Coordinates of all heavy atoms in Angstrom, one line a residue:
M1 N -180.1 -90.6 207.9 CA -179.1 -90.5 206.9 C -179.8 -91.0 205.6 O -179.5 -90.4 204.5 CB -177.9 -91.3 207.2 CG -176.9 -91.4 206.2 SD -175.9 -89.9 206.3 CE -174.6 -90.3 205.2
T2 N -180.5 -92.0 205.6 CA -181.1 -92.6 204.4 C -182.2 -91.6 203.8 O -182.4 -91.6 202.6 CB -181.8 -93.9 204.6 OG1 -182.7 -93.8 205.6 CG2 -180.7 -95.0 205.0
K3 N -182.9 -90.9 204.7 CA -183.9 -89.9 204.2 C -183.3 -88.6 203.8 O -183.8 -87.9 202.9 CB -185.0 -89.7 205.3 CG -185.8 -90.9 205.5 CD -186.9 -90.5 206.5 CE -187.8 -91.8 206.7 NZ -189.0 -91.5 207.5
S4 N -182.2 -88.3 204.3 CA -181.5 -87.0 204.0 C -180.9 -87.0 202.6 O -180.8 -86.0 201.9 CB -180.5 -86.6 205.1 OG -179.5 -87.5 205.2
L5 N -180.4 -88.2 202.2 CA -179.7 -88.3 200.9 C -180.7 -88.1 199.8 O -180.4 -87.3 198.9 CB -179.1 -89.7 200.8 CG -178.2 -89.9 199.6 CD1 -177.1 -88.9 199.5 CD2 -177.7 -91.3 199.5
P6 N -181.9 -88.7 199.8 CA -182.9 -88.4 198.7 C -183.3 -86.9 198.8 O -183.5 -86.3 197.7 CB -184.0 -89.3 198.9 CG -183.5 -90.4 199.7 CD -182.4 -89.8 200.5
A7 N -183.5 -86.4 200.0 CA -183.9 -85.0 200.1 C -182.8 -84.0 199.6 O -183.2 -83.0 198.9 CB -184.2 -84.7 201.6
L8 N -181.6 -84.4 199.8 CA -180.5 -83.6 199.3 C -180.4 -83.7 197.8 O -180.2 -82.7 197.1 CB -179.2 -84.0 199.9 CG -177.9 -83.2 199.5 CD1 -178.1 -81.8 200.0 CD2 -176.7 -83.8 200.2
A9 N -180.7 -84.8 197.2 CA -180.7 -85.0 195.8 C -181.8 -84.2 195.1 O -181.7 -83.6 194.1 CB -180.8 -86.5 195.4
V10 N -183.0 -84.3 195.7 CA -184.2 -83.5 195.2 C -183.8 -82.0 195.3 O -184.1 -81.2 194.3 CB -185.4 -83.8 196.0 CG1 -186.5 -82.8 195.7 CG2 -185.9 -85.2 195.8
L11 N -183.2 -81.5 196.3 CA -182.9 -80.1 196.5 C -181.8 -79.7 195.4 O -181.9 -78.7 194.8 CB -182.3 -79.9 197.9 CG -181.9 -78.4 198.2 CD1 -183.1 -77.5 198.1 CD2 -181.3 -78.3 199.5
L12 N -180.9 -80.6 195.1 CA -179.9 -80.3 194.1 C -180.5 -80.3 192.7 O -180.2 -79.3 192.0 CB -178.8 -81.4 194.2 CG -177.7 -81.3 193.1 CD1 -176.8 -80.1 193.4 CD2 -176.9 -82.6 193.1
F13 N -181.4 -81.2 192.4 CA -182.0 -81.2 191.1 C -183.0 -80.0 190.9 O -183.1 -79.5 189.9 CB -182.7 -82.5 190.8 CG -181.7 -83.7 190.6 CD1 -181.8 -84.8 191.4 CD2 -180.8 -83.6 189.6 CE1 -180.9 -85.8 191.2 CE2 -179.9 -84.6 189.3 CZ -179.9 -85.8 190.2
A14 N -183.6 -79.7 192.0 CA -184.6 -78.5 191.9 C -183.8 -77.2 191.7 O -184.2 -76.4 190.9 CB -185.4 -78.4 193.2
T15 N -182.7 -77.1 192.3 CA -181.8 -75.9 192.1 C -181.3 -75.8 190.7 O -181.3 -74.8 190.1 CB -180.7 -75.9 193.2 OG1 -181.2 -76.0 194.5 CG2 -179.9 -74.6 193.0
A16 N -180.9 -77.0 190.2 CA -180.3 -77.0 188.8 C -181.4 -76.7 187.8 O -181.2 -76.0 186.8 CB -179.7 -78.4 188.6
A17 N -182.6 -77.2 188.0 CA -183.7 -77.0 187.1 C -184.1 -75.5 187.1 O -184.4 -74.9 186.1 CB -184.9 -77.9 187.5
Y18 N -184.1 -74.9 188.3 CA -184.5 -73.5 188.4 C -183.4 -72.6 187.7 O -183.7 -71.7 187.0 CB -184.6 -73.1 189.9 CG -184.8 -71.6 190.0 CD1 -186.1 -71.0 189.8 CD2 -183.8 -70.7 190.5 CE1 -186.3 -69.7 189.9 CE2 -184.0 -69.4 190.6 CZ -185.3 -68.8 190.3 OH -185.5 -67.5 190.4
A19 N -182.2 -73.0 187.9 CA -181.1 -72.2 187.3 C -181.1 -72.3 185.8 O -180.9 -71.3 185.0 CB -179.7 -72.7 187.8
S20 N -181.5 -73.5 185.2 CA -181.5 -73.6 183.8 C -182.7 -72.9 183.2 O -182.7 -72.5 182.0 CB -181.5 -75.1 183.4 OG -182.7 -75.7 183.8
S21 N -183.8 -72.7 183.9 CA -185.0 -72.1 183.4 C -184.9 -70.5 183.6 O -185.8 -69.8 183.0 CB -186.3 -72.6 184.0 OG -186.3 -72.3 185.4
A22 N -184.0 -70.0 184.4 CA -183.9 -68.6 184.6 C -183.4 -67.9 183.3 O -182.5 -68.4 182.7 CB -183.0 -68.3 185.8
P23 N -184.0 -66.8 183.0 CA -183.6 -66.1 181.8 C -182.2 -65.5 181.9 O -181.8 -65.0 183.0 CB -184.6 -65.0 181.6 CG -185.2 -64.8 182.9 CD -185.1 -66.1 183.6
M24 N -181.4 -65.6 180.9 CA -180.1 -65.1 180.9 C -180.2 -63.6 180.7 O -180.9 -63.1 179.8 CB -179.2 -65.7 179.8 CG -179.1 -67.3 179.9 SD -178.3 -67.7 181.4 CE -176.6 -67.4 180.9
P25 N -179.4 -62.8 181.4 CA -179.4 -61.4 181.2 C -178.8 -61.0 179.8 O -177.8 -61.7 179.4 CB -178.6 -60.8 182.4 CG -177.7 -62.0 182.8 CD -178.5 -63.2 182.5
K26 N -179.3 -60.0 179.2 CA -178.8 -59.6 177.9 C -177.4 -58.9 178.1 O -177.2 -58.1 179.0 CB -179.7 -58.6 177.2 CG -181.0 -59.2 176.8 CD -181.8 -58.2 176.0 CE -183.1 -58.8 175.5 NZ -183.9 -57.9 174.8
Q27 N -176.4 -59.4 177.3 CA -175.1 -58.8 177.4 C -175.0 -57.7 176.3 O -175.5 -57.9 175.2 CB -174.0 -59.8 177.2 CG -174.0 -60.9 178.3 CD -172.9 -61.9 178.1 OE1 -172.1 -61.8 177.1 NE2 -172.7 -62.8 179.0
P28 N -174.5 -56.6 176.7 CA -174.3 -55.5 175.7 C -173.5 -56.0 174.5 O -172.5 -56.7 174.7 CB -173.7 -54.4 176.4 CG -173.0 -55.0 177.6 CD -173.8 -56.2 177.9
S29 N -173.9 -55.6 173.3 CA -173.1 -56.0 172.2 C -171.8 -55.3 172.1 O -171.7 -54.1 172.3 CB -173.9 -55.8 170.9 OG -174.2 -54.4 170.8
T30 N -170.7 -56.0 171.9 CA -169.4 -55.3 172.0 C -169.1 -54.7 170.6 O -168.4 -53.7 170.6 CB -168.3 -56.4 172.3 OG1 -168.4 -57.4 171.4 CG2 -168.5 -56.9 173.7
A31 N -169.6 -55.3 169.5 CA -169.3 -54.7 168.2 C -170.6 -54.1 167.7 O -171.6 -54.8 167.5 CB -168.8 -55.8 167.3
P32 N -170.6 -52.7 167.5 CA -171.7 -52.1 166.9 C -172.0 -52.6 165.5 O -171.0 -52.8 164.8 CB -171.4 -50.6 167.0 CG -170.0 -50.5 167.1 CD -169.5 -51.8 167.7
A33 N -173.2 -52.6 165.1 CA -173.5 -53.0 163.7 C -173.0 -52.0 162.8 O -173.0 -50.8 163.1 CB -175.0 -53.2 163.6
D34 N -172.6 -52.4 161.6 CA -172.1 -51.5 160.6 C -173.3 -50.6 160.1 O -174.3 -51.1 159.6 CB -171.5 -52.3 159.4 CG -170.9 -51.4 158.3 OD1 -170.7 -50.2 158.6 OD2 -170.7 -51.9 157.2
P35 N -173.2 -49.3 160.3 CA -174.3 -48.4 159.9 C -174.5 -48.4 158.4 O -175.5 -47.9 157.9 CB -174.0 -47.0 160.4 CG -172.5 -47.1 160.7 CD -172.1 -48.5 160.9
L36 N -173.5 -48.8 157.6 CA -173.6 -48.8 156.1 C -173.9 -50.2 155.6 O -173.9 -50.4 154.4 CB -172.3 -48.2 155.5 CG -171.9 -46.8 155.9 CD1 -170.6 -46.4 155.3 CD2 -173.0 -45.8 155.6
A37 N -174.2 -51.1 156.5 CA -174.5 -52.5 156.0 C -175.7 -52.5 155.1 O -176.7 -51.8 155.4 CB -174.7 -53.4 157.2
G38 N -175.7 -53.4 154.1 CA -176.9 -53.5 153.3 C -176.9 -52.5 152.1 O -177.8 -52.6 151.3
L39 N -176.0 -51.6 152.0 CA -175.9 -50.7 150.9 C -174.8 -51.1 150.0 O -173.8 -51.5 150.4 CB -175.6 -49.3 151.5 CG -176.6 -48.7 152.5 CD1 -176.1 -47.3 153.0 CD2 -178.0 -48.5 151.8
S40 N -175.1 -50.8 148.7 CA -174.1 -51.1 147.7 C -173.0 -50.0 147.8 O -173.2 -49.0 148.5 CB -174.7 -51.1 146.3 OG -175.1 -49.8 145.9
M41 N -171.9 -50.1 147.1 CA -170.8 -49.1 147.2 C -171.3 -47.8 146.6 O -171.0 -46.8 147.2 CB -169.6 -49.6 146.4 CG -168.4 -48.7 146.6 SD -167.9 -48.4 148.3 CE -167.1 -49.9 148.7
D42 N -172.1 -47.8 145.6 CA -172.6 -46.6 145.0 C -173.6 -45.9 146.0 O -173.5 -44.7 146.1 CB -173.4 -46.9 143.7 CG -172.5 -47.3 142.6 OD1 -171.3 -47.0 142.6 OD2 -173.0 -48.0 141.6
Q43 N -174.4 -46.7 146.7 CA -175.3 -46.1 147.6 C -174.5 -45.5 148.8 O -174.9 -44.5 149.4 CB -176.3 -47.2 148.1 CG -177.3 -47.6 147.1 CD -178.2 -48.8 147.5 OE1 -177.7 -49.6 148.3 NE2 -179.4 -48.8 147.0
Q44 N -173.5 -46.2 149.2 CA -172.7 -45.7 150.3 C -172.0 -44.4 150.0 O -172.0 -43.5 150.8 CB -171.6 -46.7 150.7 CG -172.1 -48.0 151.4 CD -171.0 -49.0 151.7 OE1 -169.8 -48.7 151.6 NE2 -171.4 -50.1 152.2
M45 N -171.5 -44.3 148.7 CA -170.8 -43.1 148.3 C -171.9 -41.9 148.2 O -171.6 -40.8 148.7 CB -170.2 -43.3 146.9 CG -169.1 -44.3 146.9 SD -167.7 -43.8 147.9 CE -167.0 -42.5 146.9
E46 N -173.0 -42.2 147.7 CA -174.1 -41.2 147.6 C -174.5 -40.8 149.0 O -174.7 -39.5 149.3 CB -175.3 -41.8 146.9 CG -176.3 -40.8 146.5 CD -177.4 -41.3 145.7 OE1 -177.2 -42.2 144.8 OE2 -178.6 -40.9 145.9
L47 N -174.7 -41.7 149.9 CA -175.1 -41.3 151.3 C -174.0 -40.5 152.0 O -174.2 -39.5 152.6 CB -175.3 -42.6 152.1 CG -175.7 -42.4 153.6 CD1 -177.0 -41.6 153.8 CD2 -175.8 -43.7 154.3
C48 N -172.7 -40.9 151.8 CA -171.6 -40.2 152.4 C -171.5 -38.7 151.8 O -171.3 -37.8 152.6 CB -170.3 -40.9 152.2 SG -170.2 -42.5 153.1
D49 N -171.8 -38.6 150.5 CA -171.8 -37.3 149.9 C -172.9 -36.4 150.5 O -172.7 -35.2 150.8 CB -171.9 -37.4 148.4 CG -170.6 -37.9 147.7 OD1 -169.6 -37.8 148.4 OD2 -170.8 -38.3 146.6
H50 N -174.1 -37.0 150.7 CA -175.2 -36.3 151.2 C -175.0 -35.9 152.7 O -175.2 -34.7 153.0 CB -176.5 -37.2 151.1 CG -177.7 -36.6 151.7 ND1 -178.3 -35.5 151.2 CD2 -178.4 -36.9 152.9 CE1 -179.4 -35.2 151.9 NE2 -179.4 -36.0 153.0
L51 N -174.4 -36.8 153.5 CA -174.1 -36.5 154.9 C -173.1 -35.4 155.0 O -173.1 -34.5 155.8 CB -173.7 -37.7 155.6 CG -174.8 -38.8 155.8 CD1 -174.2 -40.0 156.4 CD2 -175.9 -38.2 156.6
E52 N -172.1 -35.4 154.1 CA -171.0 -34.4 154.1 C -171.6 -33.1 153.7 O -171.2 -32.0 154.3 CB -169.9 -34.8 153.1 CG -168.7 -33.9 153.3 CD -167.5 -34.4 152.4 OE1 -167.5 -35.7 152.2 OE2 -166.7 -33.6 152.0
T53 N -172.5 -33.0 152.8 CA -173.2 -31.8 152.4 C -174.0 -31.2 153.6 O -173.9 -30.0 153.8 CB -174.1 -32.0 151.2 OG1 -173.3 -32.5 150.1 CG2 -174.8 -30.7 150.7
L54 N -174.7 -32.1 154.2 CA -175.5 -31.6 155.4 C -174.6 -31.1 156.5 O -174.9 -30.1 157.1 CB -176.3 -32.8 156.0 CG -177.5 -33.2 155.1 CD1 -178.2 -34.4 155.7 CD2 -178.5 -32.1 154.9
K55 N -173.5 -31.8 156.7 CA -172.5 -31.3 157.7 C -171.9 -30.0 157.4 O -171.8 -29.1 158.3 CB -171.4 -32.4 157.9 CG -170.6 -32.2 159.1 CD -171.3 -32.7 160.3 CE -170.3 -32.8 161.5 NZ -171.0 -33.1 162.7
K56 N -171.6 -29.7 156.1 CA -171.0 -28.5 155.7 C -172.1 -27.3 155.8 O -171.7 -26.2 156.1 CB -170.6 -28.5 154.2 CG -169.3 -29.3 154.1 CD -168.8 -29.3 152.6 CE -167.6 -30.1 152.5 NZ -167.2 -30.2 151.1
Q57 N -173.4 -27.7 155.7 CA -174.4 -26.7 155.8 C -174.8 -26.5 157.3 O -175.8 -25.7 157.6 CB -175.7 -27.1 155.0 CG -175.4 -27.2 153.5 CD -176.6 -27.8 152.8 OE1 -177.5 -28.3 153.4 NE2 -176.5 -27.7 151.5
N58 N -174.1 -27.1 158.2 CA -174.4 -27.0 159.6 C -175.8 -27.5 160.0 O -176.4 -26.9 160.9 CB -174.1 -25.6 160.2 CG -172.6 -25.3 160.1 OD1 -171.8 -26.2 160.3 ND2 -172.3 -24.1 159.9
K59 N -176.3 -28.4 159.3 CA -177.6 -29.0 159.6 C -177.5 -30.1 160.6 O -176.5 -30.8 160.6 CB -178.3 -29.5 158.4 CG -178.5 -28.4 157.3 CD -179.8 -28.6 156.5 CE -179.9 -27.4 155.6 NZ -180.9 -27.7 154.6
P60 N -178.4 -30.2 161.6 CA -178.3 -31.2 162.6 C -178.5 -32.6 162.0 O -179.3 -32.8 161.1 CB -179.5 -30.9 163.6 CG -180.5 -30.1 162.7 CD -179.7 -29.4 161.7
L61 N -177.7 -33.5 162.5 CA -177.7 -34.9 162.1 C -178.3 -35.8 163.2 O -178.0 -35.6 164.3 CB -176.3 -35.5 161.7 CG -175.6 -34.7 160.6 CD1 -174.2 -35.4 160.4 CD2 -176.4 -34.8 159.3
S62 N -179.2 -36.7 162.8 CA -179.8 -37.6 163.8 C -178.6 -38.5 164.3 O -177.6 -38.7 163.7 CB -180.9 -38.4 163.2 OG -180.4 -39.3 162.2
P63 N -178.9 -39.2 165.4 CA -177.8 -40.1 165.9 C -177.4 -41.2 164.9 O -176.2 -41.5 164.8 CB -178.4 -40.8 167.2 CG -179.4 -39.8 167.6 CD -180.0 -39.1 166.4
K64 N -178.4 -41.7 164.1 CA -178.1 -42.7 163.1 C -177.3 -42.1 162.0 O -176.3 -42.7 161.5 CB -179.4 -43.3 162.5 CG -179.1 -44.4 161.5 CD -180.4 -45.0 161.0 CE -180.1 -46.1 160.0 NZ -181.3 -46.7 159.5
M65 N -177.6 -40.9 161.6 CA -176.8 -40.2 160.6 C -175.4 -39.9 161.1 O -174.5 -40.0 160.3 CB -177.5 -38.9 160.2 CG -178.9 -39.2 159.5 SD -179.8 -37.7 159.3 CE -179.1 -37.0 157.8
Q66 N -175.3 -39.6 162.3 CA -173.9 -39.3 162.9 C -173.1 -40.6 162.8 O -171.9 -40.6 162.5 CB -174.0 -38.8 164.3 CG -174.6 -37.4 164.4 CD -174.8 -37.0 165.8 OE1 -174.6 -37.7 166.8 NE2 -175.1 -35.7 166.0
Q67 N -173.7 -41.8 163.1 CA -173.0 -43.0 163.1 C -172.6 -43.3 161.6 O -171.4 -43.7 161.3 CB -173.8 -44.2 163.6 CG -174.0 -44.2 165.0 CD -175.0 -45.3 165.5 OE1 -175.7 -45.9 164.7 NE2 -174.9 -45.7 166.7
Q68 N -173.5 -43.0 160.7 CA -173.2 -43.3 159.3 C -172.0 -42.3 158.8 O -171.1 -42.7 158.1 CB -174.4 -43.1 158.4 CG -175.5 -44.1 158.6 CD -176.8 -43.8 158.0 OE1 -177.1 -42.6 157.7 NE2 -177.6 -44.8 157.6
F69 N -172.1 -41.1 159.3 CA -171.0 -40.1 158.9 C -169.7 -40.6 159.4 O -168.7 -40.5 158.7 CB -171.4 -38.7 159.4 CG -170.5 -37.6 159.0 CD1 -170.4 -37.2 157.7 CD2 -169.6 -37.0 159.9 CE1 -169.6 -36.2 157.3 CE2 -168.7 -36.0 159.5 CZ -168.7 -35.6 158.2
K70 N -169.6 -41.1 160.7 CA -168.4 -41.5 161.2 C -167.9 -42.7 160.4 O -166.7 -42.9 160.2 CB -168.5 -41.9 162.7 CG -168.7 -40.7 163.6 CD -168.9 -41.1 165.0 CE -169.1 -39.8 165.9 NZ -169.3 -40.2 167.3
A71 N -168.8 -43.6 160.0 CA -168.4 -44.8 159.2 C -167.8 -44.3 157.9 O -166.9 -44.9 157.3 CB -169.6 -45.7 159.0
C72 N -168.4 -43.3 157.3 CA -167.9 -42.7 156.0 C -166.5 -42.2 156.2 O -165.7 -42.4 155.4 CB -168.9 -41.6 155.5 SG -170.5 -42.2 154.9
Q73 N -166.3 -41.4 157.3 CA -165.0 -40.9 157.6 C -164.0 -42.0 157.7 O -162.9 -41.9 157.2 CB -165.0 -40.0 158.8 CG -165.7 -38.7 158.6 CD -165.8 -37.9 159.9 OE1 -165.9 -38.4 161.0 NE2 -165.7 -36.6 159.7
A74 N -164.3 -43.0 158.5 CA -163.4 -44.2 158.7 C -163.1 -44.8 157.3 O -162.0 -45.3 157.1 CB -164.0 -45.1 159.7
M75 N -164.1 -45.0 156.5 CA -163.9 -45.6 155.2 C -163.0 -44.8 154.3 O -162.1 -45.4 153.7 CB -165.3 -45.8 154.5 CG -165.2 -46.5 153.2 SD -166.9 -46.9 152.5 CE -167.5 -45.2 152.3
T76 N -163.1 -43.5 154.3 CA -162.3 -42.7 153.5 C -160.9 -42.6 154.0 O -159.9 -42.5 153.3 CB -162.8 -41.2 153.3 OG1 -163.0 -40.7 154.6 CG2 -164.1 -41.3 152.5
M77 N -160.7 -42.6 155.3 CA -159.4 -42.6 155.9 C -158.6 -43.9 155.7 O -157.4 -43.9 155.5 CB -159.5 -42.3 157.5 CG -160.0 -41.0 157.8 SD -159.0 -39.6 157.1 CE -157.6 -39.7 158.1
E78 N -159.3 -45.0 155.6 CA -158.7 -46.3 155.3 C -158.3 -46.4 153.9 O -157.3 -47.0 153.5 CB -159.6 -47.4 155.6 CG -159.9 -47.6 157.1 CD -161.0 -48.7 157.4 OE1 -161.5 -49.3 156.4 OE2 -161.3 -48.9 158.5
S79 N -159.0 -45.7 153.0 CA -158.7 -45.9 151.6 C -157.7 -44.9 151.1 O -157.1 -45.1 150.0 CB -160.0 -45.7 150.7 OG -160.5 -44.4 150.9
M80 N -157.4 -43.9 151.9 CA -156.3 -42.9 151.5 C -154.9 -43.4 151.7 O -154.7 -43.9 152.8 CB -156.5 -41.6 152.3 CG -157.7 -40.8 151.9 SD -158.0 -39.3 152.8 CE -156.4 -38.5 152.8
P81 N -154.1 -43.4 150.7 CA -152.7 -43.9 151.0 C -152.0 -42.9 151.8 O -152.2 -41.7 151.7 CB -152.1 -44.0 149.6 CG -153.0 -43.1 148.7 CD -154.3 -43.1 149.4
E82 N -151.0 -43.4 152.6 CA -150.2 -42.5 153.4 C -149.2 -41.7 152.6 O -149.1 -40.5 152.9 CB -149.5 -43.3 154.5 CG -150.5 -43.9 155.5 CD -149.8 -44.7 156.6 OE1 -148.6 -44.5 156.8 OE2 -150.5 -45.5 157.3
T83 N -148.6 -42.3 151.7 CA -147.7 -41.6 150.8 C -147.9 -41.9 149.4 O -148.5 -42.9 149.1 CB -146.2 -42.0 151.2 OG1 -146.1 -43.4 151.0 CG2 -145.8 -41.6 152.6
A84 N -147.5 -41.1 148.5 CA -147.7 -41.3 147.1 C -146.7 -42.4 146.6 O -145.6 -42.5 147.2 CB -147.5 -40.0 146.3
P85 N -147.1 -43.2 145.6 CA -146.2 -44.2 145.1 C -144.9 -43.5 144.5 O -144.9 -42.3 144.2 CB -147.0 -44.8 144.0 CG -148.4 -44.4 144.1 CD -148.4 -43.2 145.0
D86 N -143.8 -44.2 144.4 CA -142.6 -43.7 144.0 C -142.7 -43.1 142.6 O -142.1 -42.1 142.3 CB -141.5 -44.8 144.0 CG -141.1 -45.2 145.4 OD1 -141.3 -44.4 146.3 OD2 -140.7 -46.4 145.6
A87 N -143.4 -43.7 141.7 CA -143.5 -43.2 140.3 C -144.2 -41.8 140.3 O -143.8 -40.9 139.6 CB -144.4 -44.1 139.5
T88 N -145.1 -41.5 141.3 CA -145.8 -40.2 141.3 C -144.8 -39.2 141.9 O -144.8 -38.1 141.5 CB -147.0 -40.3 142.2 OG1 -147.8 -41.4 141.7 CG2 -147.8 -39.0 142.2
Q89 N -144.0 -39.6 142.9 CA -143.1 -38.7 143.5 C -142.0 -38.2 142.6 O -141.4 -37.2 142.7 CB -142.5 -39.3 144.8 CG -143.5 -39.5 145.9 CD -142.9 -40.2 147.1 OE1 -141.8 -40.7 147.0 NE2 -143.6 -40.2 148.2
D90 N -141.6 -39.1 141.6 CA -140.6 -38.8 140.7 C -141.0 -37.7 139.7 O -140.2 -37.0 139.1 CB -140.1 -40.0 139.9 CG -139.4 -41.0 140.9 OD1 -138.9 -40.5 141.9 OD2 -139.3 -42.2 140.5
R91 N -142.3 -37.6 139.4 CA -142.7 -36.7 138.4 C -142.5 -35.3 138.8 O -142.7 -34.5 139.5 CB -144.2 -36.9 138.1 CG -144.5 -38.2 137.4 CD -145.9 -38.3 137.1 NE -146.2 -39.7 136.8 CZ -147.4 -40.3 136.8 NH1 -148.4 -39.5 137.1 NH2 -147.6 -41.5 136.6

């Protein structure tokens, strides 16, 4: 019993040391990075116009360009008001 207690303690510490040194698996990122990050508003508008022109010309877009185009669409959909203000409707 006296020899088994230190052996058990060594086994416990060795297991804990091995577990702490094992590399952690990479977890997939849940939030994709903003494809328009790092660009000024003017640059974003210019890029969105360029991508829209390419899309209208039926030119193929790279995967990164497709992500940027979707971000542009989301940006324009958020900025569009759902209904016109009352003052505009009265005119």
Side-chain angles (χ1 to χ4, degrees):
M1 176 84 169
T2 58
K3 290 186 179 187
S4 62
L5 187 60
L8 185 60
V10 168
L11 182 62
L12 177 68
F13 288 121
T15 306
Y18 175 75
S20 66
S21 67
M24 298 297 281
K26 291 184 179 179
Q27 295 182 0
S29 60
T30 56
D34 183 17
L36 300 177
L39 299 176
S40 68
M41 186 56 76
D42 292 335
Q43 290 172 330
Q44 289 179 9
M45 296 295 288
E46 188 174 327
L47 177 64
C48 291
D49 288 341
H50 177 69
L51 293 173
E52 190 172 332
T53 302
L54 290 175
K55 193 76 168 173
K56 286 180 182 178
Q57 294 173 353
N58 292 327
K59 298 211 175 168
L61 299 177
S62 68
K64 182 177 180 179
M65 293 169 81
Q66 289 175 353
Q67 289 177 340
Q68 291 171 335
F69 185 70
K70 288 179 183 178
C72 289
Q73 288 178 325
M75 184 174 59
T76 56
M77 292 304 287
E78 289 174 0
S79 64
M80 290 177 47
E82 293 181 16
T83 60
D86 292 334
T88 305
Q89 291 177 350
D90 292 340
R91 290 185 199 160

